[in-house]
Amino acid sequence: MGNVTLFAKLLPFPAVTIISGRALFSVLILGLFFWVRGKSVSYRSFKDFLSVFGIGILFALHWVTYFHSIQVSTVAVGMLSLFTYPVFSAILEPLFGGKRPDPFAFFIACFSFFGLFLIVPDLSWDNQMFQGVVWGVVSAVLYAIRNLLTKEMHVHYPSSQILFTQLIATSLVLLPFADGLFVMLAEPKYLVFQVVLAGVFTSLAHTIWIRSLSNLSVTTAGTLSTLSPIYGSLAAWYFLGEVPPDRLWLGGGVILFCAILEVFRKQAEASKHIEAG
């Protein structure tokens, strides 16, 4: 899903407008899929529906803050800031299970923030890189929470149904604020971008992502995706001419190191539990 970030730059519209179009087309694509397959999208209770719908609002806020982070800074800064979310997941996941957070997770979190500090040349809101990092971290926290809540619901419902409901919520929340949406969709080039963004990088990619949460912890699944900032940054370099500064590679290396360290730690813990069992 790393190359999805290119659309934040390729589409010259506000983040809310881009995400509104993305969600709307994704709803149409998934709705057609359900209709062709004859699948039901009903819930066992209205409470379950409201829960998934509420998670969809978090999803909308995550997407908007993520794309806005990229638009005010660069693809690399936005992606690396977002990919602190495996660390936030490591802190929050035990809390969702009624357990105390691992102190080592806090250490990893602090180390990740040190990596973000290396990326930002000036800790001032006037600096666009700093703005990008802040918005990216906000997006990371929202994404971690959304994934944890989604994992709980995925026990009872298929991934495509959960995503479909979340996308409906995203559309309904953002469409009233989508300035220039019809202008964007009236341009053939931008319309194609939206269809590709919705079909490949949303409906398909996020369905697979949610399905992976049934077999992996949120922390592990997140960490396995840490290659995304690497190929996403390289794609932005090639297609958009965004040459990452040296300090970004250093800070990004620290952030990705923290994420990868966390997955190995989780795998070691899982092995111990299996051996103990």
Side-chain angles (χ1 to χ4, degrees):
M1 291 189 289
N3 291 335
V4 70
T5 53
L6 297 178
F7 292 95
K9 296 285 190 176
L10 292 173
L11 290 163
F13 296 90
V16 173
T17 304
I18 298 173
I19 299 305
S20 296
R22 177 184 189 181
L24 184 60
F25 274 102
S26 298
V27 167
L28 295 175
I29 291 170
L30 282 175
L32 179 62
F33 168 77
F34 287 128
W35 180 72
V36 171
R37 297 289 298 273
K39 284 193 171 187
S40 171
V41 291
S42 62
Y43 285 85
R44 297 186 302 179
S45 68
F46 187 63
K47 180 182 177 181
D48 283 356
F49 169 77
L50 285 181
S51 296
V52 179
F53 190 90
I55 299 170
I57 296 175
L58 287 177
F59 198 24
L61 295 174
H62 150 67
W63 264 352
V64 170
T65 50
Y66 183 30
F67 270 48
H68 185 67
S69 169
I70 292 168
Q71 289 181 332
V72 299
S73 57
T74 66
V75 168
V77 168
M79 292 193 73
L80 289 170
S81 301
L82 173 69
F83 272 81
T84 57
Y85 83 85
V87 181
F88 287 117
S89 298
I91 295 173
L92 295 172
E93 194 164 19
L95 294 176
F96 277 70
K99 301 176 182 178
R100 295 179 61 183
D102 188 339
F104 188 71
F106 284 103
F107 168 75
I108 291 295
C110 293
F111 200 38
S112 292
F113 278 107
F114 172 68
L116 290 174
F117 174 77
L118 293 176
I119 291 175
V120 181
D122 180 19
L123 298 179
S124 168
W125 193 252
D126 294 330
N127 185 277
Q128 288 188 304
M129 294 302 169
F130 179 68
Q131 291 184 35
V133 166
V134 171
W135 285 113
V137 170
V138 170
S139 183
V141 174
L142 291 169
Y143 196 43
I145 296 173
R146 177 259 181 178
N147 287 341
L148 290 165
L149 294 174
T150 297
K151 181 178 175 68
E152 292 181 358
M153 296 306 300
H154 191 241
V155 175
H156 307 291
Y157 301 100
S159 54
S160 55
Q161 180 178 341
I162 292 174
L163 179 62
F164 182 62
T165 306
Q166 291 180 355
L167 289 168
I168 290 175
T170 299
S171 300
L172 292 177
V173 169
L174 297 182
L175 280 173
F177 309 99
D179 293 334
L181 178 62
F182 293 108
V183 175
M184 179 175 64
L185 299 183
E187 174 63 45
K189 179 176 69 173
Y190 299 149
L191 179 61
V192 171
F193 284 165
Q194 279 287 358
V195 171
V196 173
L197 177 60
V200 178
F201 294 104
T202 305
S203 301
L204 177 61
H206 280 275
T207 298
I208 295 172
W209 168 253
I210 294 174
R211 186 171 297 173
S212 73
L213 298 179
S214 62
N215 301 315
L216 301 171
S217 73
V218 171
T219 302
T220 300
T223 308
L224 290 174
S225 64
T226 51
L227 286 176
S228 294
I230 297 174
Y231 66 77
S233 299
L234 292 175
W237 191 349
Y238 181 79
F239 290 106
L240 304 175
E242 290 186 353
V243 182
D246 293 339
R247 65 185 300 146
L248 190 140
W249 292 114
L250 178 61
V254 171
I255 294 168
L256 296 184
F257 171 76
C258 291
I260 293 170
L261 178 63
E262 185 57 34
V263 74
F264 280 111
R265 192 171 71 89
K266 286 292 182 180
Q267 287 177 341
E269 288 179 0
S271 299
K272 288 180 180 179
H273 286 307
I274 292 174
E275 291 173 1

